[in-house]
């Protein structure tokens, strides 16, 4: 008991990393003060894992088109992990790991190949099989409706999210999912990382549908970085809210499920304590998180966005504002890193601006490098982020939908760095919950090594290694899979290969004690 107390006191006092390694002694799922319905899981997405890209009636999504144009290191998701055929063994691995929940996404173009209209019976059958297999083993299915993979046919027909027509087509697709799967799927996420999708796809143009304009993006054939990210985001909010309203009105009563949307959120820290950098960090939160959260909670965009963007920011009508406001049961958050932010108000003097120029912030890492703002492991960023949701958006129920460590993919199954990453962030989540955060679940990203989009198959986050040189794409547990499994089963960490973690624990124990 004393050890546990020390550990929790320590979590606010001692340097976080040391503290959490120290906590490892007692870190187990069952010792956490989590509410009974809190879930620990892991996830994948359709295009990154299913494969069978053109089998049984599936048509191309905008990701297929992008990958086939050679823009993902020449790799594609045509086969990926072949989850389409291997779902039974994958669910078996989840059972062995002890997952309580599994987050996956539904491929719209597999279920409704023309984007709207007839449902593909083979697509329906696949998702029914997957969901049944999960439910049969007591694993809660959490489904995302779109993970960037819009049917190409809708992109071609009317420009996808740039058109108001998406609101109607998305809602119709969502209803097919609620109707067909909602008796077993109780957790629905409409759109994954809506904020990053529109910045990546319509401002800097590095992900599909790859639209941007000079000088902001590189190599886009078409686009308008000044306006399109805001238009696409606006339509996503309208589509999300219409689908959520439909769910609440027609399905929630009998199905008893929940619906939400997902945002990507790094934690912005001011680069210096100068007032303008502190304000810049706040502005980053408004542009990154408030862009979606303010309409969802208050019915309108943040004032600073309206001020900096002006007429390029679409306005909500009174009816739309009412529709969007409160249209969620939970918020999904993808969190990986903390980033330094530095004021760049000078960008507001430019005549033509994009999202980043409107935000007027420069992202910087510890070495002062502006090419990548990511800091090394900062688990306390998650605590700060959850506090921010608690204090600014009414403490909504939150699922950490993604949190994970990226490494280059190679055949080593020893990933003590990933173990440290997971346990540090779960420790930070615990700190946040002890301070009143309404977090309801944690999903490690990702369950296995996937087609990692822009990285092709060169990087990975998985608990399980997938051998791409084996024609059966055999999966192998990494040290992190063993660690997570032991954690979930409430066992202490005693496995071959855990020596490095053990050594670190030994070497930091004395330091932790001395810093109490
Ligand atoms: C983007 O759209 C705005 C508003 O319609 C227009 O003024 C601007 O010229 C467009 N920019 C490009 C690059 O097309
Ligand atoms: C800013 O102030 C805080 C609190 O006084 C201090 O901990 C932090 O190191 C300062 N940050 C910088 C970059 O000077
Ligand atoms: C494998 O990846 C790890 C972690 O990124 C790295 O330290 C190691 O050098 C890599 N090994 C090979 C053979 O590439
Ligand atoms: C804990 O919550 C209180 C009240 O919301 C807040 O003032 C405080 O800053 C939080 N502590 C941490 C460590 O975030
Ligand atoms: C850690 O310390 C314990 C006792 O303090 C010792 O028995 C054990 O061998 C150490 N483990 C490693 C990996 O150094």
């Amino acid at each position: 008991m004393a050890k546990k107390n020390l550990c929790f006191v320590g979590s606010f006092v001692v340097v976080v990393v040391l503290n959490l390694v120290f906590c490892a002694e007692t870190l187990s799922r069952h010792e956490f003060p989590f509410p009974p319905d809190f879930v620990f899981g892991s996830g994948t997405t359709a295009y990154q894992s299913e494969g069978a890209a053109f089998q049984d009636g599936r048509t191309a999504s905008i990701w297929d088109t992008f990958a086939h144009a050679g823009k993902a290191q020449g790799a594609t998701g045509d086969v990926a992990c072949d989850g389409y055929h291997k779902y039974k063994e994958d669910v078996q691995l989840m059972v062995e790991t002890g997952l309580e929940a599994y987050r996956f996404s539904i491929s719209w173009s597999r279920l409704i190949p023309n984007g709207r209209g007839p449902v593909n019976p083979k697509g329906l059958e696949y998702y029914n099989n997957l969901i049944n297999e999960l439910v049969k083993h007591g694993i809660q299915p959490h489904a995302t409706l779109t993970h960037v993979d819009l049917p190409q046919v809708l992109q071609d027909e009317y420009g996808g999210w740039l058109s108001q027509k998406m609101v109607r087509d998305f809602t119709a697709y969502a209803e097919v999912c609620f109707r067909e799967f909602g008796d077993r799927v109780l957790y629905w996420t409409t759109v994954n990382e809506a904020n990053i999708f529109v910045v990546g796809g319509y401002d800097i143009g590095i992900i599909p549908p790859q639209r941007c304009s000079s000088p902001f993006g590189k190599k886009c054939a078409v686009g308008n970085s000044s306006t399109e990210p805001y238009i696409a985001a606006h339509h996503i909010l309208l589509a999300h809210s219409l689908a959520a309203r439909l769910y609440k009105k027609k399905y929630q009563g009998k199905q008893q499920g929940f619906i939400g949307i997902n945002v990507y959120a790094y934690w912005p820290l001011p680069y210096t304590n100068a007032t303008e950098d502190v304000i810049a960090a706040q502005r980053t939160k408004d542009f990154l998180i408030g862009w979606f959260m303010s309409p969802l909670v208050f019915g309108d965009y943040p004032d600073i966005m309206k001020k900096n963007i002006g007429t390029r920011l679409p306005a909500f009508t009174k009816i739309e504002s009412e529709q969007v406001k409160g249209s969620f049961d939970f918020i999904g958050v993808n969190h990986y890193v903390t980033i330094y932010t530095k004021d760049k108000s000078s960008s507001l003097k430019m005549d033509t601006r994009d999202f980043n120029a409107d935000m007027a912030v420069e992202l910087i890492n510890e070495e002062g490098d502006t090419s990548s703002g990511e800091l090394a492991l900062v688990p306390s960023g998650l605590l700060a982020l959850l506090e921010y949701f608690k204090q600014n958006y009414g403490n909504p129920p939150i699922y950490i939908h993604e949190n994970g460590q990226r490494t280059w993919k190679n055949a080593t199954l020893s990933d003590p760095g990933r173990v440290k990453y997971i346990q540090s962030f779960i420790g930070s989540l615990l700190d946040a919950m002890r301070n009143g955060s309404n977090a309801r679940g944690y999903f490690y990203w990702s369950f296995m090594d996937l087609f990692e989009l822009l990285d092709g198959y060169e990087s990975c986050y998985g608990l399980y290694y997938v051998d791409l040189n084996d024609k059966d794409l055999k999966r192998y547990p990494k040290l992190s899979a063993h660690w997570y499994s032991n954690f979930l089963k409430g066992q202490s960490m005693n496995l071959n290969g855990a020596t490095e973690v053990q050594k670190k624990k030994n070497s930091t124990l004395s330091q932790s004690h001395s810093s109490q």
Side-chain angles (χ1 to χ4, degrees):
M1 285 315 283
K3 193 163 267 169
K4 224 189 286 179
N5 279 341
L6 262 185
C7 159
F8 294 137
V9 170
S11 61
F12 290 105
V13 180
V14 186
V15 176
V16 176
V17 172
L18 294 184
N19 161 58
L20 290 161
V21 172
F22 174 46
C23 283
E25 191 110 359
T26 54
L27 195 67
S28 116
R29 194 250 183 279
H30 302 293
E31 295 183 41
F32 281 25
F34 291 133
D37 58 349
F38 191 96
V39 289
F40 277 100
S42 187
T44 66
T45 74
Y47 190 59
Q48 293 176 272
S49 69
E50 282 176 5
F54 299 103
Q55 211 177 320
D56 290 346
R58 183 183 179 278
T59 63
S61 73
I62 58 176
W63 260 117
D64 295 75
T65 308
F66 182 85
H68 276 268
K71 290 170 178 168
Q73 312 293 335
T76 71
D78 286 3
V79 178
C81 307
D82 200 25
Y84 188 73
H85 298 106
K86 297 173 87 72
Y87 71 90
K88 276 196 181 171
E89 34 176 304
D90 286 341
V91 172
Q92 201 49 49
L93 283 186
M94 293 174 209
V95 173
E96 283 164 22
T97 313
L99 293 196
E100 297 158 4
Y102 175 57
R103 174 176 180 253
F104 63 98
S105 75
I106 294 173
S107 164
W108 183 344
S109 62
R110 190 185 294 291
L111 193 62
I112 306 178
N114 295 327
R116 63 172 168 272
V119 172
N120 173 16
K122 287 288 193 183
L124 199 57
E125 186 185 337
Y126 169 67
Y127 291 110
N128 271 324
N129 286 345
L130 171 65
I131 292 162
N132 288 342
E133 194 71 12
L134 291 165
V135 171
K136 188 167 93 189
H137 290 95
I139 298 173
Q140 223 176 62
H142 288 234
T144 298
L145 295 174
T146 176
H147 204 108
V148 188
D149 54 350
L150 183 70
Q152 183 65 43
V153 64
L154 299 183
Q155 188 69 38
D156 294 342
E157 184 184 322
Y158 52 67
W161 289 107
L162 288 178
S163 169
Q164 177 104 30
K165 289 181 181 160
M166 269 300 286
V167 177
R168 180 197 61 201
D169 285 343
F170 177 78
T171 305
Y173 157 61
E175 177 156 27
V176 169
C177 296
F178 303 150
R179 190 182 66 220
E180 298 292 339
F181 312 127
D183 56 334
R184 288 150 294 154
V185 174
L186 302 185
Y187 297 88
W188 294 103
T189 301
T190 53
V191 183
N192 178 69
E193 288 187 5
N195 49 353
I196 289 304
F197 168 57
V198 298
V199 172
Y202 298 88
D203 181 356
I204 50 180
I206 57 166
I207 62 168
Q210 224 194 1
R211 297 179 63 94
C212 60
S213 58
S214 117
F216 306 108
K218 296 192 182 84
K219 296 184 269 179
C220 298
V222 281
N224 187 333
S225 302
S226 298
T227 54
E228 291 187 359
Y230 303 117
I231 295 167
H234 199 71
H235 291 148
I236 287 176
L237 278 164
L238 294 178
H240 155 79
S241 58
L242 197 64
R245 295 285 172 207
L246 173 78
Y247 181 73
K248 284 165 175 285
K249 193 166 153 208
K250 200 163 156 190
Y251 295 92
Q252 196 166 45
K254 57 174 187 280
Q255 297 181 344
Q256 301 285 303
F258 306 91
I259 191 158
I261 188 171
N262 171 291
V263 294
Y264 173 88
Y266 56 82
W267 180 247
L269 270 185
Y271 187 55
T272 73
N273 281 331
T275 309
E276 64 265 27
D277 286 346
V278 173
I279 294 172
Q282 179 55 48
R283 198 161 58 239
T284 307
K285 290 168 208 162
D286 285 328
F287 270 74
L288 183 72
I289 303 169
W291 190 4
F292 286 83
M293 286 310 295
S294 288
L296 288 167
V297 175
F298 307 116
D300 202 0
Y301 293 116
D303 288 341
I304 188 69
M305 289 190 80
K306 293 202 260 184
K307 178 163 175 263
N308 288 9
I309 304 161
T311 55
R312 287 177 291 120
L313 185 67
F316 291 107
T317 64
K318 181 117 185 23
I319 290 169
E320 288 170 347
S321 165
E322 288 303 317
Q323 175 187 306
V324 172
K325 187 174 164 180
S327 62
F328 65 94
D329 296 311
F330 65 85
I331 299 297
V333 172
N334 294 356
H335 175 77
Y336 293 87
V337 292
T338 287
I339 297 184
Y340 276 137
T341 51
K342 188 167 167 37
D343 178 66
K344 202 186 174 190
S345 290
S346 59
S347 68
L348 291 171
K349 298 199 183 92
M350 296 159 67
D351 290 334
T352 305
R353 302 197 294 273
D354 71 332
F355 175 84
N356 288 304
D358 290 327
M359 184 162 76
V361 163
E362 192 167 38
L363 306 181
I364 305 183
N365 73 8
E366 276 162 325
E367 286 82 42
D369 176 4
T370 52
S371 62
S372 153
E374 296 183 9
L375 300 184
L377 185 69
V378 187
S380 58
L382 181 58
L383 166 63
L385 182 65
L386 290 170
E387 273 299 318
Y388 189 74
F389 274 92
K390 183 182 105 185
Q391 293 178 23
N392 295 277
Y393 300 117
N395 203 14
I398 288 187
Y399 286 88
I400 304 302
H401 270 162
E402 291 182 19
N403 172 247
Q405 192 201 42
R406 172 177 179 267
T407 57
W408 296 112
K409 182 169 168 115
N410 61 33
T412 171
L413 298 177
S414 172
D415 58 350
R418 183 166 285 115
V419 170
K420 182 172 151 193
Y421 183 101
I422 308 173
Q423 76 188 20
S424 303
F425 277 95
I426 290 178
S428 186
L429 171 63
L430 174 61
D431 290 344
M433 293 186 67
R434 297 202 142 234
N435 205 39
S437 163
N438 201 0
R440 300 293 179 89
Y442 174 91
F443 290 79
Y444 177 75
W445 179 265
S446 52
F447 184 60
M448 63 182 83
D449 290 348
L450 303 171
F451 169 51
E452 271 305 332
L453 307 174
L454 295 179
D455 285 345
Y457 294 93
E458 291 172 20
S459 73
C460 67
Y461 293 81
L463 299 172
Y464 284 81
Y465 171 80
V466 178
D467 185 358
L468 299 175
N469 296 318
D470 171 18
K471 68 172 174 22
D472 288 329
L473 298 169
K474 194 165 162 30
R475 287 84 158 116
Y476 297 87
K478 300 181 192 174
L479 177 63
S480 53
H482 291 298
W483 184 87
Y484 198 44
S485 181
N486 281 351
F487 165 77
L488 292 175
K489 293 172 182 168
Q491 292 159 2
S492 60
M493 178 97 168
N494 62 337
L495 27 103
N496 302 332
T499 3
E500 238 179 303
V501 177
Q502 191 65 41
K503 261 193 218 136
K504 282 211 183 92
K505 189 165 75 180
N506 275 4
S507 70
T508 52
L509 263 174
S510 53
Q511 294 174 42
S512 297
H513 280 299
S514 60
S515 56
Q516 292 294 316

